Amino acid sequence: KQEVTQIPAALSVPEGENLVLNCSFTDSAIYNLQWFRQDPGKGLTSLLLIQSSQREQTSGRLNASLDKSSGRSTLYIAASQPGDSATYLCAVCQGTGGGNKLTFGTGTQLKVEL
Amino acid sequence: ETGVTQTPRHLVMGMTNKKSLKCEQHLGHNAMYWYKQSAKKPLELMFVYSLEERVENNSVPSRFSPECPNSSHLFLHLHTLQPEDSALYLCASSQPGASSRYAFFGQGTRLTVV
């Protein structure tokens, strides 16, 4: 059974700092890994998707890496801003019947302070 | 706005009530999903529908009954729920055959069972 772990559970940093969020998973037979952002009481916004054959994806100040063989991914946020405050979720995608299923970690709650 | 719309956004129901959650997507995807997000727990996959057929039922109690009348609509019928069923219920859609397999999530329905 796939298990996804995210470290740290919570993080508080001053504005402008660079930071790294970590995600690990137990079963490397995945299609892709996605990083999501969730604001309080809201749905999920997809940030980055890394295919199983890729090592890295970048979008603006965000950079995600994937090491499938070791079951690890990192999300790097450069020059953090108060608007980045949210919960960040990592999810791995595997097949099921004719659909896909995502297995999520419990998230990292990020607070960026002025 | 992700292209996946859920209604209602908030729902309070008694344990003897019957209610339904609705999800609609106009992204042309042929797979739809229900996820449950409880406090302090990872998102859990409940049901997967592909081409309007249920392909996964993740050991969900029968008091939750999904329905997928067409590829754009997904319902979750609720009856005789328990207080521990209070959670954020998220709908998602994806195109499993697509190389990216991005999952798009709705804003969720916050359910409170009293």
Side-chain angles (χ1 to χ4, degrees):
Chain A
K1 180 188 171 189
Q2 179 74 267
E3 292 184 6
V4 180
T5 303
Q6 290 188 246
I7 296 172
L11 183 61
S12 182
V13 300
E15 182 179 12
E17 204 163 282
N18 302 325
L19 56 102
V20 175
L21 309 182
N22 297 291
C23 173
S24 61
F25 50 95
T26 55
D27 182 354
S28 62
I30 64 173
Y31 288 133
N32 62 54
L33 182 145
Q34 284 187 248
W35 283 94
F36 292 90
R37 170 188 172 134
Q38 186 175 30
D39 293 288
K42 300 289 180 64
L44 275 63
T45 301
S46 183
L47 297 174
L48 287 165
L49 181 149
I50 313 178
Q51 301 284 11
S52 61
S53 58
Q54 295 177 320
R55 301 279 296 183
E56 195 172 352
Q57 277 289 336
T58 298
S59 176
R61 295 183 292 109
L62 305 179
N63 176 279
S65 68
L66 174 64
D67 183 342
K68 199 175 78 159
S69 60
S70 68
R72 295 177 190 275
S73 176
T74 61
L75 178 67
Y76 175 82
I77 303 177
S80 58
Q81 303 170 357
D84 295 330
S85 299
T87 296
Y88 290 80
L89 297 165
C90 161
V92 294
C93 177
Q94 296 174 289
T96 177
N100 300 321
K101 63 178 177 182
L102 293 174
T103 304
F104 285 83
T106 48
T108 294
Q109 191 170 358
L110 173 65
K111 184 174 181 181
V112 181
E113 298 173 316
L114 289 168
Chain B
E1 180 59 49
T2 63
V4 179
T5 304
Q6 289 187 242
T7 54
R9 294 292 306 276
H10 301 273
L11 178 62
V12 179
M13 60 186 287
M15 289 190 283
T16 57
N17 291 159
K18 291 185 181 180
K19 296 285 185 184
S20 296
L21 310 185
K22 179 182 176 182
C23 177
E24 188 172 353
Q25 59 94 4
H26 296 289
L27 301 169
H29 294 163
N30 59 26
M32 296 185 76
Y33 312 80
W34 281 115
Y35 284 85
K36 176 183 178 182
Q37 187 176 34
S38 305
K40 308 295 184 187
K41 292 175 68 175
L43 271 90
E44 302 170 80
L45 178 65
M46 298 175 73
F47 301 104
V48 179
Y49 274 83
S50 177
L51 297 172
E52 299 145 47
E53 289 197 24
R54 192 190 311 178
V55 298
E56 176 140 344
N57 174 348
N58 213 21
S59 302
V60 180
S62 59
R63 58 186 183 268
F64 295 91
S65 175
E67 178 190 2
C68 188
N70 56 61
S71 59
S72 299
H73 293 85
L74 184 66
F75 295 89
L76 188 62
H77 303 300
L78 315 171
H79 64 96
T80 59
L81 294 192
Q82 304 299 313
E84 60 264 30
D85 297 321
S86 299
L88 181 67
Y89 289 84
L90 290 162
C91 172
S93 71
S94 72
Q95 189 67 4
S99 59
S100 69
R101 302 175 193 263
Y102 264 104
F104 292 83
F105 282 80
Q107 290 297 300
T109 295
R110 172 68 63 184
L111 174 67
T112 303
V113 181
V114 297

